[in-house]
């Protein structure tokens, strides 16, 4: 019987009680981890209730893990998925996908397909009697080779999908409530720079940059009403013609709008050609790695940190399990995404999931590795520079290395997207990951204090659309 729960079950008392048990820490952390695993494993409608949930990332179908163990016993062993290169001279680290892993993975896939084809040739006389369903299942279970580097363990405890749906529904309702807030000039419009060609504002967290399909209150509409178009374009320039770039609703910080048609084209080209310098500030769960292990006092000088900066170079793709969110692209996830595309009937979703992974690079630099969130929970404050500009890039990269941004409703704990950016927990065993219990405690504090997501666009350098002079804009975060 396939796992199918209606919306009525979402609001059931059982789901509500289990959800409260999680938040009130009445379930052990091991069971709470099962919650995360269950969320990913039940995303596919082909997984049945009587199958055990493993401690995997969701990159490999359960059928693949069980069915290919024997087939790959004499297989090529997969090297580590992630490369981490330390540079002692520059005191930096580079995190990227291991190309040897991709090569070995493709070799295993080709060998497994060859075994299937050979078996089909031997039984060619009986092939016509096989049903399409059985043949598809056989090919599916050999499609993705298992990852010998993962420490998967089965768990007998699972949380009903109704609980998962309940939590996700609550997050959506909260986001909808925030997005529907009436905006006022006094409370929400903080101008950082303005002239007759452009305007830069400090957008608060929880405010939409653009109204969207539901025509919600937005920053561009507020700016248009108070600081509309100028010059000859005043009568022909509509609200949408002011939009140069945008930030996520939960991200605060600097946003630039154009006030003339020519300024719009020039500014958009500057952002598109990466001729702007953007710097973000974020507060992360837990103390990030690359620290001296002998001390963690608050008075430790950050100059003592062994590695004070680094680069995360991990390609991103649409999450085929939790669209429209993003995830780190791996050989397994690309195979699964292609399988999903073949099964999708909606052309719109097909177009989204079918897009190939895009190279994504983030530079980070430590600001304070011994910060305490609300003077209680270990946290790390870092500076971020997106070298590329992918959707949710900073949020996914930080979640993938085990330190999600505090207050992230999608990529943090119990979020709507895949946990850990879609990666196995043990992939980054070299880093001191933020534990699930710590993440849960921080999440409880975030809920109680109505804390915004701790990601802020702090610094922007952009060429002026008319003079070409570099405009430097800065806004300090509220966290």
């Amino acid at each position: 019987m396939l796992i199918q729960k209606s919306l009525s079950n979402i609001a059931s008392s059982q789901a509500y009680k289990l959800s409260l048990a999680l938040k009130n820490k009445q379930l052990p952390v091991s069971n709470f981890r099962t919650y995360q695993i269950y969320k990913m494993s039940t995303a596919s409608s082909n997984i049945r209730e009587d199958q055990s949930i493993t401690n995997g990332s969701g990159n490999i179908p359960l059928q693949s893990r069980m069915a290919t163990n024997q087939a790959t016993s004499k297989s090529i062993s997969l090297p580590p998925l992630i490369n981490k290169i330390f540079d002692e001279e520059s005191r930096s680290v580079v995190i990227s996908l291991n190309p040897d892993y991709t090569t070995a993975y493709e070799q295993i896939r080709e060998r497994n397909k060859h075994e299937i084809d050979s078996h089909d040739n031997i039984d060619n006389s009986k092939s016509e009697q096989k049903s399409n369903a059985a043949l598809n299942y056989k090919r599916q279970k050999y499609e993705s080779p298992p990852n010998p580097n993962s420490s998967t363990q089965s768990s007998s405890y699972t949380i009903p999908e109704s609980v998962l749906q309940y939590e996700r529904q609550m997050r959506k309702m909260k986001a909808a409530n925030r997005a529907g807030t009436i905006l006022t000039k006094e409370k929400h419009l903080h101008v950082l720079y303005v002239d007759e060609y452009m305007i830069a504002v400090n957008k608060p967290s929880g405010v939409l940059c653009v109204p969207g399909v539901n025509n919600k209150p937005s920053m561009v509409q507020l700016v248009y009403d108070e600081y509309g178009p100028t010059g000859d374009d005043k009568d022909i320039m509509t609200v949408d013609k002011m939009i140069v770039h945008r930030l996520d609703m939960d991200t605060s910080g600097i946003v630039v709008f154009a006030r003339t048609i020519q300024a719009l084209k020039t500014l958009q080209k500057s952002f598109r050609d990466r001729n702007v310098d953007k710097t973000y500030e974020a507060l992360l769960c837990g103390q990030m790695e690359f620290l001296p292990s002998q001390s963690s006092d608050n008075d430790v000088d950050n100059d003592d940190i062994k590695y004070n900066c680094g680069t995360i170079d991990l390609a991103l793709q649409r999450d085929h399990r939790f669209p429209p969110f993003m995830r780190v692209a791996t050989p397994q996830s690309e195979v699964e995404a292609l399988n999903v595309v073949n099964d999708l009937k909606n052309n719109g979703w097909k177009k989204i999931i079918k897009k190939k992974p895009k190279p994504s690079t983030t530079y980070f630099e430590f600001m304070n590795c011994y910060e305490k969130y609300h003077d209680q929970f270990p946290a790390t404050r870092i500076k971020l520079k997106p070298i590329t500009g992918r959707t949710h890039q900073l949020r996914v990269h930080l979640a993938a290395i085990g330190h999600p941004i505090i207050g992230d409703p999608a990529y943090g704990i119990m979020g709507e997207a895949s946990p850990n950016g879609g990666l196995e927990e043990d992939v980054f065993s070299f880093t001191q990951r933020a534990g699930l219990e710590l993440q849960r405690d921080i999440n409880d504090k975030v809920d109680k204090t109505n804390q915004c997501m701790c990601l802020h666009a702090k610094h922007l350098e952009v060429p002026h659309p008319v003079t070409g002079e570099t405009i430097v804009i800065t806004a300090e975060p509220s966290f």
Side-chain angles (χ1 to χ4, degrees):
M1 173 181 176
L2 295 178
I3 299 177
Q4 294 180 344
K5 301 294 184 181
S6 62
L7 286 178
S8 61
N9 287 337
I10 293 174
S12 66
S13 59
Q14 180 186 11
Y16 179 70
K17 288 178 181 178
L18 284 171
S19 176
L20 287 181
L22 284 170
K23 289 188 175 181
N24 295 332
K25 294 176 283 188
Q26 295 173 358
L27 294 176
V29 174
S30 59
N31 288 345
F32 188 79
R33 168 58 186 153
T34 308
Y35 176 91
Q36 297 285 70
I37 301 160
Y38 183 86
K39 179 173 90 168
M40 305 191 66
S41 300
T42 55
S44 171
S45 61
N46 292 325
I47 297 178
R48 302 180 182 276
E49 285 182 332
D50 58 351
Q51 290 176 322
S52 61
I53 303 302
T54 65
N55 187 26
S57 70
N59 288 336
I60 307 167
L62 269 77
Q63 297 95 328
S64 301
R65 293 196 179 114
M66 295 185 292
T68 58
N69 284 339
Q70 183 177 0
T72 57
S73 59
K74 55 182 179 180
S75 67
I76 307 157
S77 61
L78 289 173
L81 175 65
I82 300 299
N83 263 347
K84 48 270 185 187
I85 303 173
F86 298 93
D87 188 336
E88 296 287 347
E89 184 176 352
S90 63
R91 298 167 68 187
S92 65
V93 58
V94 177
I95 302 169
S96 61
L97 195 68
N98 185 356
D100 294 337
Y101 179 96
T102 303
T103 302
Y105 178 85
E106 290 300 328
Q107 290 175 351
I108 293 174
R109 282 195 64 213
E110 287 300 321
R111 192 210 58 195
N112 286 342
K113 287 181 178 180
H114 175 72
E115 289 181 1
I116 294 173
D117 293 337
S118 299
H119 182 273
D120 288 346
N121 291 334
I122 294 173
D123 284 342
N124 188 46
S125 60
K126 300 181 180 180
S127 61
E128 295 182 358
Q129 301 174 9
K130 297 178 181 179
S131 66
N132 290 333
L135 184 59
N136 289 337
Y137 174 74
K138 185 180 69 172
R139 291 191 179 276
Q140 179 188 6
K141 70 180 183 179
Y142 282 99
E143 189 65 44
S144 298
N147 186 353
N149 300 315
S150 65
S151 56
T152 57
Q153 297 176 351
S154 62
S155 172
S156 60
Y157 181 85
T158 60
I159 296 177
E161 188 177 356
S162 57
V163 177
L164 167 63
Q165 293 293 347
Y166 174 82
E167 288 295 336
R168 298 182 73 180
Q169 194 69 14
M170 290 301 102
R171 288 183 181 272
K172 290 179 181 178
M173 291 174 62
K174 290 179 181 179
N177 289 337
R178 292 198 309 272
T181 303
I182 302 300
L183 305 183
T184 63
K185 177 181 178 181
E186 294 74 21
K187 188 176 181 179
H188 299 97
L189 186 57
H190 311 292
V191 178
L192 303 172
Y193 176 89
V194 61
D195 62 22
E196 60 181 312
Y197 303 104
M198 60 179 283
I199 178 173
V201 300
N202 184 10
K203 183 188 83 70
S205 177
V207 175
L208 291 169
C209 271
V210 297
V213 294
N214 296 319
N215 200 28
K216 297 283 188 179
S218 63
M219 183 56 64
V220 66
Q221 185 65 59
L222 184 61
V223 170
Y224 185 86
D225 294 340
E226 300 295 336
Y227 297 88
T230 60
D232 297 336
D233 299 330
K234 189 172 184 179
D235 297 329
I236 62 173
M237 193 172 180
T238 55
V239 177
D240 59 299
K241 297 298 183 183
M242 295 188 72
I243 303 170
V244 175
H245 68 122
R246 62 189 70 183
L247 296 176
D248 297 336
M249 182 182 75
D250 293 299
T251 304
S252 60
I254 303 169
V255 184
V256 174
F257 298 100
R259 302 185 72 189
T260 67
I261 297 294
Q262 186 57 46
L264 174 71
K265 294 178 180 179
T266 305
L267 287 170
Q268 284 182 337
K269 187 176 187 304
S270 295
F271 276 84
R272 184 171 59 252
D273 296 343
R274 315 298 296 172
N275 290 330
V276 299
D277 184 13
K278 295 185 289 186
T279 303
Y280 291 76
E281 186 171 321
L283 193 61
L284 314 182
C285 295
Q287 287 185 352
M288 206 166 175
E289 233 269 355
F290 324 126
L291 317 178
S293 58
Q294 63 270 21
S295 176
S296 60
D297 298 331
N298 289 332
D299 58 354
V300 173
D301 190 345
N302 280 303
D303 289 339
D304 293 334
I305 299 173
K306 187 174 182 181
Y307 299 99
N308 56 14
C309 62
T311 302
I312 305 172
D313 187 9
L314 297 171
L316 299 183
Q317 68 178 131
R318 289 288 178 183
D319 194 335
H320 56 282
R321 291 178 175 268
F322 300 102
F325 298 104
M326 306 294 289
R327 59 156 293 150
V328 173
T330 66
Q332 293 98 324
S333 67
E334 292 186 55
V335 170
E336 284 193 355
L338 289 176
N339 291 338
V340 169
V341 168
N342 294 331
D343 293 335
L344 284 174
K345 296 180 180 179
N346 185 291
N347 289 330
W349 283 118
K350 278 189 176 184
K351 185 177 180 181
I352 292 175
I353 303 299
K354 196 174 182 179
K355 291 183 178 180
K356 294 183 178 180
K358 294 183 179 181
S360 307
T361 307
T362 300
Y363 171 82
F364 65 88
E365 184 177 323
F366 294 113
M367 298 178 66
N368 184 359
C369 297
Y370 306 103
E371 190 154 335
K372 295 291 185 180
Y373 180 64
H374 281 272
D375 299 322
Q376 184 178 2
F377 304 109
T380 302
R381 188 175 293 271
I382 62 172
K383 180 192 300 183
L384 297 162
K385 284 182 176 290
I387 308 303
T388 55
R390 312 304 179 202
T391 302
H392 298 172
Q393 175 179 312
L394 303 180
R395 300 164 65 179
V396 179
H397 275 172
L398 294 170
I401 64 173
H403 295 276
I405 298 171
I406 291 177
D408 192 330
Y411 300 97
I413 194 167
M414 296 174 66
E416 297 180 69
S418 295
N420 307 315
L423 296 180
E424 299 272 1
E425 280 197 351
D426 59 354
V427 165
F428 289 97
S429 56
F430 69 96
T431 169
Q432 299 172 351
R433 303 174 58 84
L436 287 173
E437 188 171 1
L438 172 62
Q439 292 187 46
R440 183 177 60 186
D441 291 341
I442 291 177
N443 186 67
D444 290 342
K445 194 69 174 180
V446 168
D447 289 341
K448 291 176 182 178
T449 58
N450 292 321
Q451 173 71 55
C452 63
M453 183 173 71
C454 297
L455 177 62
H456 180 79
K458 179 179 180 179
H459 183 86
L460 177 67
E461 297 182 16
V462 56
H464 191 276
V466 175
T467 65
E469 179 185 356
T470 300
I471 305 297
V472 180
I473 306 169
T474 303
E476 294 298 323
S478 61
F479 52 85

